[in-house]
Amino acid sequence: MRFTGWLLTGALIVPFSVMAQTVPSPKSSKPSQISIQAQHFLNLLTAEDQSEINLAHLALKKSSNPQVRQYAKDKILAADPAMKQGAMQFAKQTNAAVPGYATSTGKAEYYYLSKLSGTAFDKAYMSYEDQKQNADLIMVKNEIRAARNPQLKSYVQKEEKPVQQAAQSAKQIANGLS
C-alpha cells in the first residue's frame, strides 16, 4: 500500500514540475522557448480555429438562414484565420510546433453536421458554436491569467474581444433558433 501511495504521489508531482519546462520542437533541434502549458494552449487554439473555419465553410454551403450565414462569415471566417495565423506566427518565433489540423471533436462535429440540412443544420451548428465559443472564451481568459510569456499574453489579450463577440453572437442566434 505504501508503494502504491508513493507511486501515485510521484505521478501527481512530476506533471506539475514538467509544466514549467520547455519542449523541443519536432521540426528543429532547438528547444521551444515557451512552457508546456503555453504549448498546449497554442496547440488547442490552432486546432480549434481550424475546426471552426471548416465548420463555417460548411455553414456557408448548408445554411439558408441569413443570420447563421452572416455569423459564419463575419464572426468566424473574418476572425479565426487571422487568430490561427497569429498563433502560428508566435509559435514560429518561439520555436514551438503547432498543428494545422482540426481537432477530432471538430472533425466529428463536421461529419455530424454535414448530414443535416435546413433548420436542423442551423440549430445544431449554432448550438455547437454557442458551446464552443463559450469554452474558447474561458480558455482565452484562463490563458491571459496564466501566461508567463509577455508576447503570448499580449497576443491572447488581443484575441479576447473577437472571441467574446463570437460567443455573444452565437448565443443570441442559437437562442433565436430554439
Side-chain angles (χ1 to χ4, degrees), residues 9-129:
T9 303
L12 293 174
I13 292 171
V14 171
F16 292 113
S17 64
V18 170
M19 291 297 266
Q21 296 177 2
T22 58
V23 292
S25 169
K27 295 179 183 178
S28 171
S29 60
K30 290 192 246 173
S32 172
Q33 299 167 5
I34 60 173
S35 70
I36 290 174
Q37 179 184 352
Q39 177 73 53
H40 177 72
F41 171 77
L42 287 174
N43 289 351
L44 192 56
L45 179 69
T46 56
E48 287 289 332
D49 284 344
Q50 188 59 55
S51 294
E52 289 180 13
I53 291 165
N54 294 347
L55 289 172
H57 283 295
L58 183 64
L60 291 178
K61 290 178 191 172
K62 306 240 347 151
S63 179
S64 57
N65 184 307
Q67 282 185 305
V68 173
R69 294 177 59 78
Q70 199 67 36
Y71 170 84
K73 197 168 142 187
D74 292 348
K75 297 299 179 190
I76 303 302
L77 294 176
D80 281 21
M83 287 181 6
K84 179 182 174 192
Q85 198 62 17
M88 293 181 88
Q89 191 171 30
F90 174 79
K92 186 176 180 180
Q93 290 170 350
T94 58
N95 202 36
V98 292
Y101 50 82
T103 64
S104 57
T105 303
K107 289 176 186 176
E109 190 66 21
Y110 186 97
Y111 178 77
Y112 168 73
L113 288 172
S114 71
K115 305 296 181 199
L116 301 176
S117 59
T119 306
F121 172 85
D122 294 333
K123 285 181 179 179
Y125 172 65
M126 291 312 304
S127 175
Y128 178 79
E129 278 297 308

Side-chain angles (χ1 to χ4, degrees), residues 109-170:
E109 190 66 21
Y110 186 97
Y111 178 77
Y112 168 73
L113 288 172
S114 71
K115 305 296 181 199
L116 301 176
S117 59
T119 306
F121 172 85
D122 294 333
K123 285 181 179 179
Y125 172 65
M126 291 312 304
S127 175
Y128 178 79
E129 278 297 308
D130 181 24
Q131 293 171 6
K132 286 308 289 178
Q133 291 298 333
N134 281 312
D136 289 352
L137 184 57
I138 290 167
M139 179 179 71
V140 165
K141 286 182 176 190
N142 286 340
E143 188 60 28
I144 289 170
R145 281 192 300 274
R148 299 280 187 254
N149 182 302
Q151 293 168 307
L152 179 61
K153 188 174 196 126
S154 175
Y155 164 74
V156 178
Q157 285 172 327
K158 184 180 83 175
E159 300 306 336
E160 181 182 18
K161 187 174 182 177
V163 174
Q164 188 169 29
Q165 290 172 343
Q168 289 169 343
S169 292

